[in-house]
Each structure stands twice: as structure tokens, then as C-alpha cells.
Amino acid sequence: MDGLEQKALAAKTDERQFNELVESHKAWILRIAAETAHRYVTDSDDEWSVALMAFHEAVQDYEKGKGSFRGLAAMVIRRRIVDHLRSEGRHADELSVTPAAFEDALEEDEASGVDLRVQRRMAEEADAAPGEDTASMARAEIAEMQGILQLYGFSFFDLADASPKAEKTKKSCAQAVRTLIASVLLMAQMRLKRLLPIKELSEASGVLRKILERHRKYVIAAAEILDGDFPILAGYLAYIKRG
């Protein structure tokens, strides 16, 4: 049994090792997703979340001496991506861009750890007027976050009412957010289903379900901000990362 199989077995019950396994195989997972979807896939696409959950499924299903883990993972990822595309009413022959055109770029970007979303933001900022102030950048971040939160069925401006007020509740929500963004699987589940995985997050963080239900919008928004490229908005949530 080689090193990958050993790591897969260890990742069954150890989330830290699962996250490390995902990080070391991120480019490969993206490639399998792209080949199946017949288009370029990044970690901001739904296909990435589907592939990540499929990768976790493969880890849980893998057994010692049952052949190649990579082969099992590729099969499960392809199967789940196809199921997803069918559920979305999309078909491979309707997609005009093939992953082959991006193979070199995919390898280079993933190998260096470059997040394509950050690249786009840097390009946008480079094109911005030299005198653009913080207020303008903040408005741009809010507008982008508004688009993300609308996918979850609420507005950025709902957060004033959804934010925790009591210090104890604020600490509980912070713990929930830290747990959420530390788990690639929970983040993928949230982004794919557009729902906060309350049961799983409560078990992982120790935060009561009623608190997560009451402050669902706040936890989702904070996680998206801190796991994204929103430096100004993230500044208002610095207390969460400080713990």
C-alpha cells in the first residue's frame, strides 16, 4: 500500500489530514472535474464543491487492499459531476470550451497556489483610477458580496438584524465561523446547497443549533467574507480570526 492509500485511510477520521489531502490533490481534483464537465473549472464553481464532496465520499468508501484510491476517487468524482450536470439540465455536448485548452494554465496556477479570483481582483484594481479611495473599494466589495448572498436567499443589508449582540453569542458565532472556514468539506457543502450545514457545524464546533439557526445569515456571510477576497470587509471581522 503506497503513501496515498495510507493518507486516504488516515483521512477517514481526521479532518486535518483530509484537508491536507485535498490541498495536495486540488489541481488533480479540478482536472477531473474539468474533464467531466468539458469546461474549465475553478474553486469558485459549483463543480468544485461537487467534486470535493465526491472526493470525501471516496475517502470514506476506500478500504485497505481494495485497489487504487486515485482510481476510486476519479470514478466517484466523474459520477457525481455527471449527476450534477444532469440535475442542472446541462450536457457536455452543449459546452463549447474544453479543458485541454487550459491544461498548462491549470497546472501552473494550482502548482503555485494562485487563486484565480485573486488574480481577477488584482487586474480590476490595476485598472481602477489611481485616486480610488477606500470607500469606493468598500462599495465594490459590498456589491460583490451582495451578489453572493443573494444566492443564499438574503441580502447583505439583512446582516444588521442577523448579527449577534450579546458577547457570549458573538463568541459562539465566531467559533462556528472559524470551524466552518477550517473545513473544506463544510464550506463546499454550504456553497453547493446554498444552506448552512447546521447539524454538522454544530457537532464540529460545539455551538448550539439554536444559535446557528438564529444567526444563520451572519455565519454564512462571515464565512464567505473571510474565505474570500474581501480585505476591507474582513477587517471588520478580524476578531473572529483572533479567536
Side-chain angles (χ1 to χ4, degrees), residues 54-75:
F55 188 78
H56 180 262
E57 180 182 342
V59 167
Q60 294 303 310
D61 287 348
Y62 184 70
E63 295 179 9
K64 184 177 180 180
K66 293 293 184 179
S68 164
F69 168 73
R70 189 182 288 257
L72 172 64
M75 180 186 70

Side-chain angles (χ1 to χ4, degrees), residues 69-113:
F69 168 73
R70 189 182 288 257
L72 172 64
M75 180 186 70
V76 178
I77 290 170
R78 290 190 180 102
R79 183 183 300 159
R80 298 303 174 219
I81 291 289
V82 168
D83 289 345
H84 171 70
L85 295 176
R86 285 174 176 165
S87 71
E88 295 289 310
R90 293 155 56 189
H91 302 281
D93 58 1
E94 295 173 353
L95 300 172
S96 58
V97 181
T98 63
F102 298 91
E103 282 180 352
D104 293 339
L106 179 62
E107 288 180 351
E108 180 180 351
D109 288 339
E110 293 303 329
S112 61

Side-chain angles (χ1 to χ4, degrees), residues 3-46:
L4 176 57
E5 272 67 43
Q6 291 178 335
K7 290 178 181 178
L9 290 171
K12 275 177 175 280
T13 56
D14 189 319
E15 185 172 11
R16 180 184 61 80
Q17 294 198 56
F18 175 75
N19 288 346
E20 290 176 357
L21 188 62
V22 168
E23 189 60 32
S24 64
H25 285 75
K26 184 175 181 179
W28 180 80
I29 296 171
L30 284 167
R31 183 179 297 281
I32 297 298
E35 289 172 353
T36 309
H38 291 273
R39 72 176 186 85
Y40 187 39
V41 174
T42 74
D43 60 5
S44 62
D45 294 317
D46 284 351

